[in-house]
């Protein structure tokens, strides 16, 4: 009970420390962000003021041009009116003089002249209406709409968190497709979402969304759609946790509730203790480095010959006893094992450089002697590929081989369902089923590899590919 109380108190202490650290970081971020927002506001207001000044200058030029055009038109009308008035005065004076003529013939001649001059007078061709009316002399700029818009000015709200749609998320072929639904906004003033940001990290806990160890969030930014594919992943944890948030012109919103995607990858490595002396094991790679005849113990060769004449399945007790303290393969069995497993798993192998031959499969540890080769006893199953004289591909078990009519794969997948007794080999690049064994496994299995004149890279943190010719 005391231990439980102390453990609970310790967890609470850690939780409070994390809480205080989070609040302190939030306060610092708030202070920095408020300064940034103030600077951005001043910049926006300066741009708005500049835009108003520019528009005001343009409107002043319009008023000036209109004033000049209308003044010129009115001045022209005044000039033409004065000329017509002068002509009218001259005609009136001539008409008055004509009225004083007593000679009938001279009077008729003068009257005819008056008629012709009046008909051609400018006063009769000139409009007496101003070309520019009083209303046209008024200039009005209506900023009521703009003023109302400025009064409605406010800060864009932070977008709400999207919701990850687990039903359409996919974990496949070492990629994760994450899809989400944007949060519905209340009105159009919330601001258009410009992009999304996604973060993901790994964890082995099925009841917690904390990261494994000190794992940091990996980021994918500037996502324009409501889905994204995370590719090139190495599934070396049970889950990958994802979360997403929206960003508008104002800022990024809160992250969505994190969702844990189960990867179901089989994670194991080469067991260097079992590796042949001429095999160099480095993390996920194994290289054949021949040491010449000096590297072979003649006594081991003698034992190898004896081993070949014995039954293909030695007594487990005898084998285990003779191998005590000597787990490393020897002779021409250039083999290395992995860790044991049960359940349903998948892993891959990729040969590099100028390879000549290799085998990959599974085996019972007790069934493999130091000089035994994969596929030559009832306790091992493998796929053997060779390029020594000609290309060949074969499935081997219990010293029987079945030739496979298929080009040598560049990436081989091994799928093993221990409980159902299924072992399948897949060309992972196509993908295509190469061969399947159906049996009943009775002992713990070990991934097994035989490497000769090649470099092999193990991809053990992958998930089963979707195979076109079979359902695994």
């Amino acid at each position: 009970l005391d231990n439980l109380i102390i453990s609970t108190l310790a967890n609470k202490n850690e939780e409070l420390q994390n809480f205080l650290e989070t609040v302190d970081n939030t306060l610092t971020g708030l202070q920095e962000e408020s300064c940034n927002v103030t600077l951005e506001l001043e910049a926006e207001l300066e741009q708005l003021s500049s835009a108003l000044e520019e528009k005001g200058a343009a409107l002043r030029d319009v008023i000036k041009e209109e004033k000049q055009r209308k003044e010129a038109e009115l001045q022209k009308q005044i000039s033409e009116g004065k000329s017509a008035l002068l002509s009218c005065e001259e005609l009136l004076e001539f008409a008055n003089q004509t009225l004083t003529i007593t000679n009938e013939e001279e009077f008729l001649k003068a009257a005819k002249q008056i008629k012709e001059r009046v008909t051609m007078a400018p006063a009769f061709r000139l409009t007496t209406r101003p070309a520019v009316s009083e209303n046209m002399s008024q200039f009005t700029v209506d900023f009521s709409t703009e003023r109302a818009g400025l009064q409605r000015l406010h800060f864009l709200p932070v977008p709400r968190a999207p919701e990850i749609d687990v039903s359409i998320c996919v974990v496949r072929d070492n990629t994760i497709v994450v899809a989400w639904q944007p949060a519905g906004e209340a009105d159009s003033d919330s601001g258009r979402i410009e992009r999304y940001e996604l973060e993901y990290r790994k964890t082995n806990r099925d009841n917690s969304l904390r990261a494994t160890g000190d794992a940091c969030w990996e980021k994918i930014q500037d996502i324009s759609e409501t889905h994204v594919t995370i590719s090139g992943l190495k599934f070396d944890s049970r889950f990958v946790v994802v979360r997403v948030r929206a960003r508008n012109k104002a800022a990024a919103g809160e992250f969505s509730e994190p969702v844990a995607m189960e990867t179901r990858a089989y994670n194991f490595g080469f067991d260097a203790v079992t590796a042949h002396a001429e095999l160099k094991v480095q993390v996920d790679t194994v290289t054949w480095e021949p040491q010449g005849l000096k590297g072979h113990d003649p006594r081991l060769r003698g034992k190898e010959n004896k081993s070949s004449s014995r039954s293909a399945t030695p007594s487990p007790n005898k084998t285990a006893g003779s191998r005590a303290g000597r787990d490393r393969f020897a002779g021409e069995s250039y083999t290395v094992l992995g860790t044991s497993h049960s359940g349903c798993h998948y892993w891959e192998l990729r040969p590099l450089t100028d390879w000549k031959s290799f085998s990959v499969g599974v085996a019972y540890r007790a069934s493999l002697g130091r000089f035994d080769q994969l596929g030559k006893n009832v306790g091992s199953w493998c796929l053997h590929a060779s390029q020594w004289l000609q290309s060949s591909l074969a499935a081997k078990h219990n010293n029987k081989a079945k030739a496979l009519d298929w080009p040598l794969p560049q990436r081989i997948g091994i799928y093993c369902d221990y409980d159902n007794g299924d072992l399948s080999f897949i060309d992972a690049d196509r993908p295509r089923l190469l061969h399947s064994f159906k049996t009943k496994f009775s002992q713990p299995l070990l991934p097994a590899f035989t490497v000769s004149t090649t470099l092999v890279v193990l991809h053990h943190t992958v998930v089963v590919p979707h195979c076109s010719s079979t359902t695994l």
Side-chain angles (χ1 to χ4, degrees):
L1 180 61
D2 292 340
N3 291 335
L4 178 60
I5 294 175
I6 293 174
S7 176
T8 303
L9 183 60
N11 290 335
K12 198 64 178 179
N13 180 68
E14 181 182 359
E15 182 180 343
L16 286 173
Q17 288 180 347
N18 293 335
F19 171 73
L20 290 175
E21 183 179 354
T22 301
V23 172
D24 185 62
N25 292 336
T26 303
L27 177 60
T28 302
L30 175 63
Q31 293 170 343
E32 294 176 354
E33 188 64 22
S34 63
C35 292
N36 294 334
V37 169
T38 301
L39 293 175
E40 291 176 0
L41 176 61
E42 293 298 332
E44 290 286 351
L45 292 175
E46 181 66 27
Q47 291 180 3
L48 184 60
S49 176
S50 299
L52 285 174
E53 286 294 332
E54 183 178 350
K55 191 63 179 179
L59 292 175
R60 293 186 190 97
D61 291 339
V62 170
I63 294 173
K64 182 178 179 181
E65 291 173 1
E66 281 294 294
K67 172 177 174 292
Q68 292 175 347
R69 183 184 68 80
K70 293 176 179 179
E71 283 181 347
E73 188 68 28
L74 292 174
Q75 290 293 345
K76 178 182 176 183
Q77 284 189 301
I78 290 174
S79 176
E80 291 175 349
K82 288 181 178 180
S83 175
L85 180 61
L86 180 61
S87 174
C88 285
E89 290 175 349
E90 292 177 352
L91 282 173
L92 286 173
E93 184 179 355
F94 182 72
N96 290 330
Q97 293 176 356
T98 301
L99 292 175
T100 60
I101 299 176
T102 57
N103 186 293
E104 182 178 358
E105 183 178 354
E106 290 181 358
F107 179 82
L108 292 175
K109 182 179 179 180
K112 184 178 180 181
Q113 290 179 350
I114 292 173
K115 180 180 178 181
E116 292 176 350
R117 291 179 64 179
V118 168
T119 303
M120 299 299 295
F124 289 90
R125 300 193 305 271
L126 183 70
T127 178
T128 57
R129 183 177 181 178
V132 179
S133 67
E134 182 179 355
N135 291 336
M136 293 181 67
S137 66
Q138 303 297 320
F139 296 92
T140 303
V141 179
D142 183 9
F143 284 112
S144 58
T145 302
E146 288 74 12
R147 186 179 300 107
L150 288 174
Q151 290 173 347
R152 290 195 307 269
L153 254 176
H154 62 275
F155 289 108
L156 287 174
V158 176
R160 289 186 284 170
E163 182 178 355
I164 296 178
D165 191 346
V166 180
S167 64
I168 56 177
C169 294
V170 179
V171 179
R172 181 177 62 190
D173 299 345
N174 278 75
T175 64
I176 297 180
V177 179
V178 185
W180 56 88
Q181 299 292 338
E185 302 297 346
D187 51 58
S188 59
D189 291 336
S190 60
R192 182 177 64 87
I193 293 176
E194 295 185 347
R195 57 190 181 277
Y196 295 93
E197 299 174 359
L198 181 137
E199 295 185 347
Y200 65 94
R201 63 182 180 183
K202 302 172 182 178
T203 180
N204 284 319
R205 304 183 184 185
D206 56 0
N207 61 349
S208 173
L209 296 181
R210 293 183 180 179
T212 302
D214 296 327
C216 296
W217 289 101
E218 300 288 339
K219 303 178 186 296
I220 300 178
Q221 298 178 329
D222 295 328
I223 304 171
S224 57
E225 305 291 339
T226 55
H227 58 84
V228 70
T229 299
I230 311 173
S231 58
L233 291 171
K234 186 175 183 180
F235 289 160
D236 50 4
S237 63
R238 292 183 58 192
F239 302 93
V240 173
V241 179
V242 296
R243 63 183 187 181
V244 66
R245 65 179 178 178
R247 176 181 286 276
N248 60 14
K249 185 179 180 181
E254 295 292 333
F255 277 103
S256 64
E257 286 296 322
V259 173
M261 306 282 187
E262 188 174 4
T263 61
R264 297 183 179 179
Y266 178 39
N267 188 9
F268 73 97
F270 294 116
D271 185 0
V273 174
T274 66
H276 189 285
E278 296 185 2
L279 295 182
K280 182 180 180 181
V281 176
Q282 290 181 314
V283 191
D284 292 344
T285 65
V286 72
T287 312
W288 187 71
E289 295 184 348
Q291 300 174 3
L293 293 178
K294 293 182 180 180
H296 296 286
D297 189 338
R299 294 173 297 177
L300 298 182
R301 286 189 174 275
K303 291 183 179 180
E304 177 185 359
N305 294 333
K306 292 179 182 179
S307 174
S308 61
S309 64
R310 293 198 304 264
S311 169
T313 309
S315 169
N317 293 333
K318 182 177 180 181
T319 303
S322 63
R323 194 169 50 247
R326 299 186 297 125
D327 291 334
R328 190 180 298 277
F329 287 92
E332 294 183 1
S333 181
Y334 303 107
T335 302
V336 61
L337 302 176
T339 55
S340 63
H341 81 277
S342 60
C344 182
H345 298 297
Y346 173 83
W347 64 99
E348 291 181 355
L349 190 75
R350 180 160 53 99
L352 300 179
T353 68
D354 187 19
W355 64 274
K356 295 301 180 184
S357 69
F358 65 88
S359 297
V360 58
V362 296
Y364 298 146
R365 184 63 181 95
S367 297
L368 285 180
R370 297 185 68 200
F371 306 98
D372 290 337
Q373 297 180 356
L374 297 181
K376 292 192 175 183
N377 56 40
V378 296
S380 63
W381 299 258
C382 74
L383 183 76
H384 176 74
S386 176
Q387 294 187 133
W388 279 107
L389 298 177
Q390 61 181 5
S391 297
S392 65
L393 191 66
K396 294 184 177 183
H397 171 61
N398 199 19
N399 210 24
K400 295 179 181 180
K402 179 181 179 181
L404 304 178
D405 185 17
W406 189 255
L408 295 173
Q410 297 300 311
R411 191 162 55 98
I412 296 176
I414 303 93
Y415 174 78
C416 185
D417 187 344
Y418 183 91
D419 297 331
N420 292 323
D422 293 326
L423 176 65
S424 299
F425 297 96
I426 304 164
D427 184 338
D429 285 325
R430 296 213 174 29
R432 179 185 173 87
L433 177 66
L434 300 174
H435 184 76
S436 287
F437 289 105
K438 183 66 177 179
T439 186
K440 184 177 181 179
F441 299 118
S442 59
Q443 302 178 37
L445 285 174
L446 300 171
F449 312 85
T450 296
V451 180
S452 178
T453 64
T454 185
L455 175 67
V456 170
V457 177
L458 174 66
H459 295 268
H460 56 284
T461 52
V462 292
V463 294
V464 183
H466 282 56
C467 193
S468 59
S469 60
T470 186
T471 301
L472 299 179

